[in-house]
Amino acid sequence: MAELAKNTEIITPDADKVTPPWKEAWLSFCHNKLALLGLGIVIFFIIIAILAPVIAPYGFREQDLAKRLLAPSSEHWFGTDDFGRDIFSRILYGARISLWVGFFAVLGSVIFGTILGIVAGYYGRWIDTIISRIFDIMLAFPSILLAIAVVAILGPSLQNALIAIAIINIPNFGRLVRAKVLSVKQEEYIMAARAVGMKDSRILLHHILPNSMTPIIVQSTLAIATAIIEAAALGFLGLGAQAPTPEWGKMLADSQRYLVQAPWTLFFPGLAIMLTVLGFNLIGDGLRDVLDPKMKQ
């Protein structure tokens, strides 16, 4: 028995070879070519938004009525609009606005939706009933109509459009987080934390919230794409950004009269919206494939 014990080797895992979860998720994400394409598109638009003052050959307010509705050329790559403004320059500056609205509108939705969803799912009873019914009422209205109603109350402006987009997306995050919390709070480690007298605030911050982040991250990425479309829709209706702000939806609205005469005035802003939304959707699909255990199987 002594010789057997000596010859027996205890196999222990090599700590250096253990792949951290975040690294494993990144490697899986990198194997998704469509997700990488989406990431490349988003990074491209972020770069041109940051460097717009450097890249743009003209100012977005700069007018030249003698050059109105010029076709794309070496002087004006994307042509000019009805005021003789360079469309390429306006699209570069417009990237700042669309990305800004998308990120911050979704950030507001995530913060308030997560708080309400956690409270409803964790405490339940009448609190859950009230919050859930509020979500149901908000979701009963088409999102764009609800956004129009909010902007009509607050007044047409880019900031109010951002607030409206944030408000209409709160129920989506709230219901998603609530469903996740209802599942997580039944886990044994949550029951153990309650048994040892851990405060609810500590349980929510250190256990419930971290284990509910996966669906929030995925939904946030997809919601940015939706927010960009909604901002463009409000701008198209004249309820979002106001002239001469180079917001893509507003550019479409201002150019719709020249669809036949100067189709490039609509084509390039529409293409910018389409590519940006496509990029975020591809990233969201890639994150879902990586972070969702069901998709992994």
Side-chain angles (χ1 to χ4, degrees):
M1 295 293 294
E3 293 179 358
L4 181 61
K6 290 180 181 179
N7 295 329
T8 302
E9 295 182 359
I10 300 177
I11 301 175
T12 59
D14 189 350
D16 296 335
K17 296 182 179 179
V18 177
T19 304
W22 65 267
K23 187 175 182 179
E24 182 180 355
W26 171 248
L27 292 174
S28 299
F29 184 86
C30 290
H31 282 90
N32 190 328
K33 294 182 179 179
L34 289 177
L36 288 179
L37 175 62
L39 181 62
I41 294 174
V42 171
I43 291 176
F44 170 76
F45 277 98
I46 291 175
I47 291 175
I48 66 172
I50 295 173
L51 300 179
V54 179
I55 301 174
Y58 303 92
F60 70 88
R61 297 173 182 266
E62 190 174 338
Q63 301 181 15
D64 187 352
L65 295 178
K67 297 181 179 180
R68 63 189 303 268
L69 300 178
L70 291 180
S73 63
S74 58
E75 184 180 2
H76 298 282
W77 292 357
F78 291 176
T80 60
D81 62 9
D82 54 325
F83 286 98
R85 296 173 297 195
D86 183 66
I87 295 177
F88 176 70
S89 300
R90 289 178 61 79
I91 286 178
L92 294 180
Y93 281 98
R96 287 183 162 190
I97 298 172
S98 293
L99 292 176
W100 178 73
V101 171
F103 281 119
F104 284 96
V106 171
L107 179 62
S109 301
V110 169
I111 293 174
F112 289 100
T114 299
I115 293 174
L116 293 174
I118 287 179
V119 171
Y122 185 77
Y123 291 103
R125 299 183 180 180
W126 62 271
I127 298 178
D128 183 22
T129 301
I130 293 176
I131 294 177
S132 296
R133 295 297 79 79
I134 292 175
F135 288 164
D136 291 340
I137 292 173
M138 295 179 67
L139 291 172
F141 296 92
S143 58
I144 189 62
L145 292 182
L146 186 58
I148 291 173
V150 174
V151 175
I153 295 172
L154 300 178
S157 71
L158 183 62
Q159 290 75 15
N160 291 339
L162 188 153
I163 295 173
I165 295 170
I167 291 174
I168 65 176
N169 284 296
I170 287 176
N172 296 326
F173 287 96
R175 295 185 69 177
L176 183 69
V177 173
R178 174 184 174 274
K180 185 65 176 179
V181 171
L182 289 174
S183 174
V184 171
K185 76 174 186 178
Q186 303 299 327
E187 298 291 338
E188 295 181 357
Y189 62 89
I190 300 296
M191 297 179 182
R194 290 175 178 170
V196 299
M198 186 177 292
K199 295 182 179 180
D200 287 346
S201 59
R202 186 175 178 82
I203 293 175
L204 292 174
L205 291 176
H206 293 273
H207 297 290
I208 298 290
L209 181 59
N211 287 283
S212 303
M213 288 303 297
T214 297
I216 294 176
I217 293 173
V218 175
Q219 181 62 27
S220 297
T221 310
L222 298 172
I224 292 175
T226 304
I228 291 174
I229 294 177
E230 291 167 345
L234 291 174
F236 185 84
L237 296 173
L239 299 174
Q242 302 299 305
T245 305
E247 196 272 327
W248 293 338
K250 179 62 176 173
M251 292 175 66
L252 289 175
D254 294 340
S255 303
Q256 60 179 326
R257 294 172 296 174
Y258 308 102
L259 176 60
V260 178
Q261 181 182 358
W264 56 86
T265 58
L266 287 90
F267 174 77
F268 290 109
L271 180 64
I273 295 172
M274 186 271 290
L275 289 176
T276 306
V277 172
L278 175 64
F280 280 108
N281 282 335
L282 292 177
I283 292 176
D285 290 341
L287 289 175
R288 182 189 58 192
D289 295 342
V290 170
L291 299 177
D292 191 346
K294 296 180 180 178
M295 298 300 295
K296 288 181 180 180
Q297 294 176 0

